[in-house]
Amino acid sequence: STAISTSVREERTRQGLRNKEKITQKFHTLLGYDPPLQIVVVEGCKATTNKISDNQGALQMLRDDLKGYSLGDSAYETYELNEETEKSGLFSIYKPQKRPIKKTLSVKKRIRDRWNGNPKRFYKEIRGVGEVLYGAATRAGLIKSECRLIENQHKDGLVIALRQNMLTFLRLEALIRIIRKTLSFRKTYIKEILY
C-alpha cells in the first residue's frame, strides 16, 4: 500500500490545537507477478482513508480463488492476516516484526519459525516487484491528487491500477506479435529451403 497525497487541507484538532492538515488517502493493491516474463498485474485494489492499516486493507481484498505467495513487509505480519491467508490457501511470507510473539501455537509463530532460509531469500528477491507499481505511478505524477472530493481522490488512486494493467496488456500484445512474426518468418524460410 502507499499514500496518495493531496494539497487539500482540512481543519483538525490535535492535542488541543486547531491546525489545517493535508488530507491523504491510502491505496492498497494486490499484485500478481509472473517471474519468467517479469509481468506485474494488479489483481485487486482498494482506495481507503489513511486510517485503514496495511493489514486491514489486505484482509479486505483477500479472496478464495488466489494462488501462490502472499508477500509483505512487517506491517502485514499480524495474527489475523496470517490466519486468513492460510485459510485462503496462500503461502505467507511476511518480514518479521521485532516484537516477540505472544501466542506460541499460532500461525504467525509457525510462519516466523520458517523465515530464515528460503522465505527470507525469496522475500529479498521479490520485494522490489511491488514497489515497481508505485515508482511508475510516482514518475507519471499519479501519486499526488489535486481533487477536493474524497470519491475523486479514490478514483485517482484506482487510475494507478488501470494504468499498470493497460501497460501490461500492451506489453503482452507486443510480445505476441513478435512471436507470431518470428514463427511466420521461420515458416517462409523453411519453405524456401525445401523448394
Side-chain angles (χ1 to χ4, degrees):
S1 62
T2 189
I4 299 171
S5 62
T6 66
S7 59
V8 180
R9 293 183 179 270
E10 186 179 71
E11 278 195 16
R12 291 185 181 164
T13 305
R14 293 240 186 226
Q15 297 177 349
L17 298 172
R18 290 190 62 76
N19 289 327
K20 285 193 173 183
E21 293 181 359
K22 287 185 180 178
I23 297 173
T24 55
Q25 304 297 324
K26 215 162 198 183
F27 181 60
H28 307 272
T29 52
L30 189 65
L31 300 176
Y33 176 60
D34 183 26
L37 297 175
Q38 294 183 344
I39 291 175
V40 177
V41 178
V42 179
E43 299 274 345
C45 60
K46 188 172 185 68
T48 63
T49 62
N50 204 18
K51 294 176 183 175
I52 302 286
S53 64
D54 292 351
N55 67 322
Q56 287 300 317
L59 281 169
Q60 291 175 11
M61 289 187 295
L62 271 181
R63 302 186 314 257
D64 290 335
D65 61 340
L66 298 172
K67 293 178 183 172
Y69 298 96
S70 176
L71 271 81
D73 57 11
S74 57
Y76 293 94
E77 194 203 26
T78 60
Y79 293 105
E80 190 178 5
L81 184 59
N82 278 305
E83 289 170 8
E84 289 300 318
T85 51
E86 188 173 86
K87 283 180 189 174
S88 61
L90 293 171
F91 187 81
S92 304
I93 301 175
Y94 302 122
K95 185 177 180 181
Q97 298 172 344
K98 293 182 180 177
R99 293 190 303 244
I101 294 177
K102 294 177 183 173
K103 299 178 184 176
T104 55
L105 298 175
S106 65
V107 177
K108 182 178 176 179
K109 170 73 172 153
R110 193 169 60 242
I111 290 170
R112 191 179 284 187
D113 286 345
R114 69 174 182 225
W115 171 253
N116 288 330
N118 285 337
K120 185 175 185 179
R121 180 186 53 80
F122 190 63
Y123 175 81
K124 285 182 178 178
E125 289 176 7
I126 303 284
R127 174 73 177 120
V129 173
E131 300 302 324
V132 167
L133 171 71
Y134 304 127
T138 302
R139 290 190 69 178
L142 297 174
I143 293 293
K144 188 165 174 63
S145 174
E146 298 297 332
C147 296
R148 294 206 165 269
L149 294 175
I150 291 174
E151 298 85 27
N152 291 343
Q153 292 167 9
H154 288 188
K155 289 173 189 172
D156 279 356
L158 299 177
V159 167
I160 297 170
L162 291 172
R163 178 184 180 273
Q164 177 64 34
N165 284 349
M166 181 59 77
L167 291 175
T168 302
F169 173 75
L170 293 174
R171 186 174 168 198
L172 286 173
E173 280 287 313
L175 186 65
I176 289 169
R177 287 182 184 173
I178 290 169
I179 291 170
R180 284 184 183 158
K181 283 184 180 180
T182 307
L183 292 176
S184 66
F185 174 74
R186 285 184 182 170
K187 286 180 185 176
T188 55
Y189 182 69
I190 291 169
K191 284 180 184 177
E192 287 176 4
I193 291 174
L194 292 175
Y195 298 112

